[in-house]
Amino acid sequence: MSDHALDMRNRASAFSTWNTTTYDVVIIGGGITGAGIARDAAERGLSVALVEAQDFATGTSSRSSKMIHGGLRYLPQGDIPLVREAASERQILRRIAPHLARKTQFVLPATSAAGIAKLRAGMWAFEKLGKVPAEDKHQVLNKKEFTQQEPAANTDPFSGAVLYPEFLTNDARLTVANIRAAKAAGADVLNYARVTSFEMENDRAIAARVSSTLDGETFEASVRAKLFINAAGPWVDAIRALEDDTQTPKLTLTKGIHIVVPHAVAPVNGTLIIQALDKRSVFAVPRHGFTYIGTTDTFYEKTHYWPHVETADIDYLLQSANKALRVDPLTHNDITSLWSGTRPLISQPGKKPSDISRKDEIWTGPGGVLIIAGGKLSAYRKMAERIVDQCVKTLGLTAKPCITATTPLPGGEGPQSVEDIMAKLLSTCTPAQALRLAELYGNEAEKIASAPNPLRAEAEHAVTHEGALTLEDVWVRRTARAWFAPKAGLPDLAVMASAMSPLLGWTPKEQANQIQHCEKRHADNMTNVASTS
């Protein structure tokens, strides 16, 4: 194993390698599903390549609610296997990457004693099915205790609440950690490279044409594989069309947005589960000096990387939060940033967005391409294990057993808790800075915190160890400053760009363009916030 460095700067060499190699498996899509598959397959000894059209985790896998659910929400649907799997998977992630599975208290209010009793029955069943450890068992809060736990909550309509632990993650960093582990295990991975066509032989896909999407590059390659896997998320149907353009679309896309406000104006202590005006559940989540509120769930037809945010989306979340919190009413002026994304769901015509199943499905296309769609972030590792099992069987290979449940992800070796890592950082950092670095980098945080300029060190680390090639990669997906930093991290862009510039050979003009791109991205994203401020 290497030191898990993911350095994507030698792109000419990468494209050249692809032109001359036939892999067991080529994965199309560098979100959490593709990343998990690449890691598992490579660690089992398969020869693996992964290609991503933009940056790793650019799509859905950086736009989620950033939660690893235990599966409680699936109990009312009677989906016992899904509950068991989700509960088991969150404990596994906690072991292999403790910094990316941070326990937090979820607060679920109830309006009556009967409501509390119903919630408790569900929790008991969940805890038994999920083999939840004693320290993670739920607690019941009466009205007074609920008010003490969450002073900012409007407790008037409620008789109490149930308090139970769930886990928060950083979805983009979890994806990149899996990509890094795949690379360390021998996989060839490439971001900013789009599959544009398949080469067919005897009606089977035997090669894929790949073109660079990075500005100024003209690299192309034809990558050959015994088996292709389409794990392109919202773009699954677009890749299916390359295999056979007569196929009927399989996906329905829905859009979810989250708004971010300073924690001081929405000072929740735990993750408060809010009932929105249409009876859906919305979360208010404290994180690194901010509170994010989400998510919406509406049909969305476009496969945009940055889905358009409507004023109605924002108002839906503000109205829901204002009903649930006893604070000065939140307005558009309080929003410091927001993110939007699309969910790739298997079509179920006639169902409302929130009623469509989140289960994953696997099928084989007419050209032999294995297709995976749907699924939840929480279950990504188990999904990958099932798919790689199928690959091994399909190809008739002899492979090593799956080890992803016991092998730490980068930053998770130790094991060290986030609290242990924080303690080591407090000599050079404030508690808030130490918590942020520990949660983002795990046991790699010390190296960054001890640098003369930690902000520059983060940007440099993103290039040399995390595959970043643009300023947006670092601002949005490696450091999360686009969401959880004062003024959306815009004041940090110049320092980060200057740190990246010598590593990536940017001219002064290109460095300025990188900054302007991020500033415009933020302005465009906030259009319907600013217009009503």
Side-chain angles (χ1 to χ4, degrees):
M1 285 278 183
S2 76
D3 67 346
H4 292 110
L6 180 66
D7 188 338
M8 306 303 299
R9 287 176 290 176
N10 194 345
R11 302 210 9 117
S13 175
F15 276 91
S16 177
T17 297
W18 283 31
N19 266 323
T20 58
T21 309
T22 298
Y23 296 92
D24 290 327
V25 176
V26 169
I27 300 148
I28 303 167
I32 190 61
T33 303
I37 297 167
R39 178 203 179 196
D40 191 347
E43 289 183 350
R44 293 204 218 181
L46 278 67
S47 61
V48 178
L50 178 144
V51 57
E52 162 57 44
Q54 297 293 316
D55 181 32
F56 305 120
T58 294
T60 306
S61 296
S62 58
R63 311 307 180 97
S64 74
S65 295
K66 309 186 190 306
M67 295 174 182
I68 302 294
H69 284 291
L72 177 63
R73 60 186 296 192
Y74 306 121
L75 261 184
Q77 302 165 17
D79 200 333
I80 303 304
L82 198 58
V83 174
R84 281 202 188 98
E85 179 173 290
S88 172
E89 285 303 305
R90 71 173 186 169
Q91 297 297 341
I92 288 171
L93 185 59
R94 193 178 180 186
R95 289 197 303 270
I96 65 174
H99 62 300
L100 293 173
R102 291 283 289 130
K103 185 160 64 173
T104 182
Q105 294 296 339
F106 276 47
V107 185
L108 181 55
T111 56
S112 65
I116 291 282
K118 185 177 179 181
L119 288 175
R120 294 204 76 182
M123 290 303 310
W124 280 324
F126 167 71
E127 288 164 356
K128 186 173 182 179
L129 285 167
K131 299 180 179 177
V132 172
E135 68 269 19
D136 288 347
K137 298 290 178 70
H138 74 280
Q139 304 172 51
V140 174
L141 307 179
N142 61 32
K143 187 162 188 165
K144 182 179 178 182
E145 291 167 333
F146 177 21
T147 303
Q148 291 171 340
Q149 169 72 26
E150 293 293 345
N154 176 16
T155 58
D156 292 345
F158 303 110
S159 61
V162 170
L163 195 69
Y164 67 99
E166 286 278 21
F167 296 86
L168 298 180
T169 193
N170 180 310
D171 46 7
R173 293 196 61 81
L174 179 60
T175 302
V176 171
N178 275 273
I179 297 280
R180 291 176 68 191
K183 176 72 172 175
D188 290 332
V189 300
L190 195 57
N191 53 354
Y192 292 101
R194 176 177 286 120
V195 171
T196 57
S197 64
F198 285 114
E199 181 184 336
M200 312 297 283
E201 186 177 279
N202 298 323
D203 297 324
R204 302 283 296 181
I206 61 165
R209 194 73 186 167
V210 179
S211 298
S212 173
T213 59
L214 204 59
D215 284 349
E217 283 190 356
T218 57
F219 298 127
E220 289 190 333
S222 180
V223 58
R224 303 177 72 85
K226 298 173 186 175
L227 182 64
F228 286 92
I229 300 177
N230 175 359
W235 297 270
V236 155
D237 280 334
I239 300 299
R240 290 176 63 234
L242 299 179
E243 189 182 6
D244 177 1
D245 61 10
T246 66
Q247 294 185 89
T248 303
K250 284 261 193 179
L251 299 188
T252 292
L253 303 185
T254 67
K255 180 179 68 174
I257 82 151
H258 297 76
I259 58 174
V260 183
V261 300
H263 186 256
V265 303
V268 292
N269 292 323
T271 294
L272 184 63
I273 302 175
I274 295 168
Q275 188 177 80
L277 303 180
D278 60 358
K279 309 301 182 185
R280 289 180 62 254
S281 290
V282 169
F283 301 100
V285 187
R287 188 147 200 165
H288 300 159
F290 296 86
T291 298
Y292 66 92
I293 302 164
T295 179
T296 59
D297 200 0
T298 53
F299 289 120
Y300 194 74
E301 295 181 357
K302 305 292 186 182
T303 51
H304 292 151
Y305 286 101
W306 293 75
H308 184 66
V309 177
E310 307 286 349
T311 303
D313 298 329
I314 300 166
D315 291 343
Y316 171 88
L317 295 177
L318 289 174
Q319 289 164 9
S320 300
N322 285 332
K323 181 184 173 186
L325 298 176
R326 191 183 279 118
V327 295
D328 290 340
L330 302 177
T331 71
H332 285 243
N333 288 321
D334 293 309
I335 299 171
T336 58
S337 61
L338 53 82
W339 71 86
S340 60
T342 53
R343 306 174 187 87
L345 307 176
I346 309 298
S347 290
Q348 292 180 287
K351 287 198 171 187
K352 295 178 182 177
S354 296
D355 293 337
I356 298 175
S357 171
R358 269 54 173 169
K359 284 185 181 179
D360 59 286
E361 286 189 18
I362 303 170
W363 67 98
T364 303
V369 176
L370 195 64
I371 302 155
I372 171 73
K376 294 289 293 178
L377 176 66
S378 304
Y380 87 90
R381 192 206 64 83
K382 195 65 180 176
M383 285 166 55
E385 183 179 344
R386 288 194 291 267
I387 295 162
V388 177
D389 285 345
Q390 185 165 334
C391 291
V392 170
K393 184 178 178 181
T394 299
L395 295 174
L397 298 174
T398 301
K400 301 173 188 174
C402 176
I403 59 170
T404 58
T406 54
T407 306
L409 286 167
E413 303 90 341
Q416 296 181 68
S417 70
V418 165
E419 289 72 23
D420 291 339
I421 295 165
M422 283 180 63
K424 296 178 181 179
L425 306 183
L426 289 175
S427 61
T428 55
C429 297
T430 67
Q433 290 168 338
L435 175 60
R436 177 185 170 276
L437 290 175
E439 287 192 354
L440 260 63
Y441 298 99
N443 65 11
E444 295 178 322
E446 281 184 85
K447 180 178 71 173
I448 291 167
S450 63
N453 185 324
L455 179 57
R456 290 184 66 90
E458 282 192 77
E460 290 165 354
H461 181 77
V463 174
T464 60
H465 282 72
E466 297 177 344
L469 292 171
T470 74
L471 183 57
E472 182 191 301
D473 297 346
V474 179
W475 173 59
V476 175
R477 289 172 289 278
R478 303 304 187 276
T479 70
R481 289 180 183 277
W483 319 136
F484 305 118
K487 299 182 180 178
L490 297 178
D492 303 326
L493 292 175
V495 173
M496 293 192 296
S498 69
M500 296 172 70
S501 189
L503 296 174
L504 291 163
W506 291 342
T507 63
K509 182 179 179 181
E510 176 58 21
Q511 185 175 321
N513 288 342
Q514 292 281 335
I515 295 170
Q516 289 166 9
H517 166 82
C518 293
E519 290 172 340
K520 185 176 187 304
R521 179 70 76 198
H522 175 74
D524 290 347
N525 209 32
M526 296 282 284
T527 296
N528 282 331
V529 178
S531 65
T532 56
S533 296

